[in-house]
Amino acid sequence: LEECDVPLTESLADAVSRVRPLWEGELLPNVLSGQNLLVVGHANGLRALISCIQSDIGDEELSILGVPNAVPLVYDLAEDGTPLRCVAGRCYVPPLEAHYLGEAC
């Protein structure tokens, strides 16, 4: 393999493949056991995690999804690990099924 054949960036699909085992093997089991988690990431890594949490977001939506820097995104999850929708008092920004911490309605 030549150096010029190696991509300079990671595709979103590659990021999802890399993040999914972390979500399924470590993060989700900890959340389901009652722990609150703080995950810090950047750009495609966070988009990949969002894709793992919310399987209903399409690739096109996901690739253009703006994830703001330094604004915590909070998911409320059901006992089976799926995002709860429309929790009273929370402001959601479609297509996300999560709310930004501190955002007023």
Side-chain angles (χ1 to χ4, degrees):
L1 196 59
E2 298 291 324
E3 186 176 337
C4 64
D5 294 326
V6 178
L8 298 177
T9 62
E10 178 180 49
S11 72
L12 185 53
D14 289 341
V16 170
S17 295
R18 181 173 51 84
V19 170
R20 186 170 306 281
L22 175 67
W23 170 247
E24 293 174 350
E26 292 189 41
L27 301 179
L28 182 58
N30 284 317
V31 169
L32 295 179
S33 74
Q35 294 182 26
N36 292 317
L37 302 178
L38 173 66
V39 176
V40 179
H42 179 266
N44 269 3
L46 291 177
R47 287 185 192 95
L49 182 57
I50 290 167
S51 174
C52 294
I53 297 170
Q54 276 189 245
S55 58
D56 62 339
I57 294 183
D59 290 343
E60 187 173 315
E61 274 184 309
L62 194 60
S63 67
I64 61 171
L65 181 64
V67 181
N69 293 327
V71 180
L73 182 63
V74 179
Y75 278 93
D76 296 298
L77 301 177
E79 290 181 10
D80 65 357
T82 58
L84 294 173
R85 294 169 175 87
C86 302
V87 175
R90 305 275 197 240
C91 296
Y92 296 88
V93 180
L96 295 176
E97 295 173 352
H99 61 92
Y100 293 111
L101 191 63
E103 287 291 303
C105 292

